[in-house]
Amino acid sequence: MEQKLIVKMVLDSWNSAIARTGKLLNELTDEQIAADAAPGRNSGKYLLGHLVAVHDRMLPLLGMGEQVYPQLNEAFLGTPDKSGREMPSVAALRSYWTDTNERLATHFNNLTAADWFARHTAVSEESFAAEPHRNRLNVIISRTNHLNEHLGQMLYLKPIPQEA
Amino acid sequence: MEQKLIVKMVLDSWNSAIARTGKLLNELTDEQIAADAAPGRNSGKYLLGHLVAVHDRMLPLLGMGEQVYPQLNEAFLGTPDKSGREMPSVAALRSYWTDTNERLATHFNNLTAADWFARHTAVSEESFAAEPHRNRLNVIISRTNHLNEHLGQMLYLKPIPQEA
């Protein structure tokens, strides 16, 4: 019972951050996403590609198959923004974002509560015996925190509200 | 067993965000904190005061006593930044930040795993019977997300790294 409850609490929190980010992306034009979140900081495009790559890599980490977009790793994980690596268009990244999170949601729906408390693939059976918190659900907690941190930054892509 | 495990997972995630924010604040001067996170956006001072007020209000929400700094509510919760409300100094806010999170940590250490799954004070016994996820632990999940969102923004208070 409590297992199921806590899985709901953690997934609700993940889904809420995914939904808020999706809503923000819908409110922004491609040009606004291509701009820097603040002067001299990461562009919204880089942040979006970074989030797609990090979420795409949750597939192997959670034992749900291979990455679908490994070609994003170099530009969005291996190197910082403005390093000259070729990036997909904002339109392509929007579609990867939706696709990746829908794919994860489909996999998540197939897991039982007990599956969530099983180890993720980056921890060995031996280590997991001593560190049972390194389970699939902890990956969601960690990635939700990561998403919220960058969502806070991407909110700065919105036009500054004018004084009344 | 799983109750205790999930409490550890959620509190680790909270403590990690608190520690990262504390480390950032230690790296910033008062002047850097007083500046806007990005042009036309909230100042670091407002964000810090906002986080203190939100965390201070966790005390009554979690049934751990009254707010200690209710005088912050108007400037940091009731009105946006730059609304002309008087704010404490950055030095004072730094000390309230440390104090508030230490007070919460002391209370958290006194809770059993079962206490974390009990309802928080904003939900009635009747509603809680139907919505058992509205427990104390869910408040920590929610406030960790909130903190990470603003931490992402406060990272922009740091000087922009110079090109090599």
Side-chain angles (χ1 to χ4, degrees):
Chain A
M1 167 59 193
E2 243 125 25
Q3 240 189 11
K4 216 168 157 178
L5 183 67
I6 186 66
V7 168
K8 175 188 163 46
M9 286 159 58
V10 171
L11 287 181
D12 279 357
S13 153
W14 163 264
N15 288 328
S16 159
I18 295 285
R20 286 186 65 205
T21 308
K23 180 171 177 292
L24 173 65
L25 292 171
N26 285 340
E27 288 168 4
L28 296 171
T29 65
D30 286 6
E31 290 68 33
Q32 286 169 332
I33 292 175
D36 291 347
R41 309 293 178 176
N42 286 329
S43 65
K45 184 174 175 172
Y46 181 85
L47 290 171
L48 178 56
H50 174 70
L51 289 172
V52 172
V54 167
H55 291 193
D56 190 37
R57 269 158 60 125
M58 290 168 69
L59 291 167
L61 185 57
L62 296 172
M64 297 168 174
E66 296 300 307
Q67 267 200 280
V68 175
Y69 304 110
Q71 71 273 21
L72 301 183
N73 294 357
E74 195 187 340
F76 296 110
L77 296 174
T79 49
D81 197 8
K82 296 156 182 96
S83 54
R85 295 289 185 294
E86 205 175 330
M87 293 186 189
S89 67
V90 171
L93 289 172
R94 284 182 190 273
S95 126
Y96 301 165
W97 165 259
T98 305
D99 177 57
T100 299
N101 294 309
E102 285 178 357
R103 182 174 298 108
L104 287 172
T106 303
H107 282 289
F108 293 177
N109 284 335
N110 289 329
L111 293 193
T112 65
D115 291 335
W116 282 110
F117 283 91
R119 70 188 169 97
H120 57 69
T121 64
V123 59
S124 68
E125 273 188 57
E126 293 70 34
S127 302
F128 187 61
E131 301 174 300
H133 62 278
R134 298 177 68 185
N135 52 46
R136 285 199 182 96
L137 201 59
N138 215 34
V139 171
I140 306 299
I141 293 177
S142 163
R143 293 304 180 276
T144 304
N145 289 334
H146 176 260
L147 174 55
N148 276 299
E149 180 177 333
H150 289 310
L151 172 58
Q153 296 170 338
M154 292 175 78
L155 287 168
Y156 286 172
L157 297 167
K158 292 173 80 167
I160 293 168
Q162 298 304 308
E163 305 269 333
Chain B
M1 167 60 191
E2 243 123 27
Q3 238 189 14
K4 216 167 156 178
L5 183 68
I6 186 65
V7 168
K8 173 187 165 47
M9 288 159 58
V10 171
L11 287 183
D12 279 357
S13 153
W14 163 263
N15 287 329
S16 159
I18 294 285
R20 285 186 66 206
T21 308
K23 180 171 176 294
L24 173 66
L25 292 172
N26 284 340
E27 289 168 3
L28 296 171
T29 65
D30 286 5
E31 291 67 32
Q32 286 169 331
I33 292 176
D36 291 348
R41 309 293 177 175
N42 286 329
S43 64
K45 183 174 175 172
Y46 180 85
L47 290 170
L48 177 56
H50 175 69
L51 288 172
V52 171
V54 167
H55 291 192
D56 190 39
R57 269 158 60 125
M58 290 169 69
L59 291 168
L61 184 57
L62 296 171
M64 296 168 174
E66 295 301 307
Q67 267 199 279
V68 175
Y69 305 111
Q71 71 274 20
L72 302 182
N73 295 356
E74 194 187 341
F76 296 109
L77 297 174
T79 50
D81 196 9
K82 296 155 183 96
S83 55
R85 295 290 185 291
E86 205 175 331
M87 293 185 189
S89 67
V90 171
L93 289 173
R94 284 182 191 272
S95 126
Y96 301 166
W97 165 260
T98 306
D99 176 57
T100 299
N101 294 309
E102 284 179 358
R103 182 175 297 109
L104 288 171
T106 303
H107 282 289
F108 293 177
N109 285 335
N110 288 330
L111 293 194
T112 65
D115 290 336
W116 282 109
F117 283 91
R119 70 187 169 96
H120 58 68
T121 63
V123 58
S124 69
E125 273 188 57
E126 294 70 33
S127 303
F128 186 62
E131 301 175 301
H133 62 278
R134 300 177 68 186
N135 52 46
R136 285 198 182 97
L137 201 60
N138 214 33
V139 172
I140 306 298
I141 293 177
S142 163
R143 292 304 179 277
T144 304
N145 289 334
H146 176 260
L147 174 55
N148 276 300
E149 179 177 333
H150 290 309
L151 172 59
Q153 297 170 337
M154 292 174 77
L155 287 167
Y156 286 172
L157 297 167
K158 291 172 81 166
I160 293 170
Q162 297 304 307
E163 304 269 334

